[in-house]
Amino acid sequence: MVVDITDADNNNDQIVDTDYQYRIYNGTSWTAWAAIPATIPYDLGNVTTGNYDITMEVKNMYGVSSEQIQIQYTAPSDDGDGDGEPPEIPGYSVILTSIALLLGVSFLIQKNRKNK
């Protein structure tokens, strides 16, 4: 999440208020109050593709405001091997391609030498 809080002097003391804090509801409990960084990292955990509601509260000296957003998450594609990772390029394909390339270059070099 990208956080953008406009500088404000809410109590007119000529000092910009910097006492904002936030916390996030993770579905079962609230996280601890923390200072707001420029971006807030949030881990959905091991979830499937779908829409997820995230509730965040921000507080300052005047109270707490709450916002709920919905995140549309698309899980990475799986290659069916159960590791949750996208398909890998098999190692033997890379080896065979390298050997074919090496043989092709060797053939061209030999052919070029015979022509001279």
Side-chain angles (χ1 to χ4, degrees):
M1 285 183 253
V2 176
V3 180
D4 185 17
I5 296 179
T6 306
D7 291 342
D9 179 14
N10 293 313
N11 58 354
N12 296 319
D13 63 357
Q14 315 314 304
I15 300 172
V16 173
D17 298 325
T18 59
D19 57 346
Y20 293 96
Q21 291 188 322
Y22 81 100
R23 67 182 183 170
I24 296 176
Y25 186 70
N26 64 16
T28 57
S29 63
W30 289 97
T31 61
W33 288 105
I36 300 176
T39 58
I40 297 174
Y42 186 75
D43 185 4
L44 286 171
N46 190 14
V47 297
T48 58
T49 296
N51 295 330
Y52 296 92
D53 294 326
I54 306 294
T55 303
M56 183 172 82
E57 290 185 341
V58 175
K59 75 174 181 174
N60 65 11
M61 70 179 104
Y62 294 107
V64 176
S65 63
S66 180
E67 182 74 27
Q68 185 175 47
I69 62 171
Q70 189 173 79
I71 295 176
Q72 184 178 13
Y73 173 73
T74 304
S77 63
D78 187 7
D79 59 358
D81 63 2
D83 66 359
E85 298 292 324
E88 297 90 13
I89 298 173
Y92 66 87
S93 294
V94 174
I95 292 171
L96 289 177
T97 303
S98 298
I99 290 172
L101 183 61
L102 182 62
L103 289 174
V105 169
S106 297
F107 175 74
L108 290 174
I109 290 173
Q110 289 297 330
K111 187 176 180 181
N112 193 18
R113 284 186 181 173
K114 287 181 183 180
N115 289 338
K116 287 185 180 185

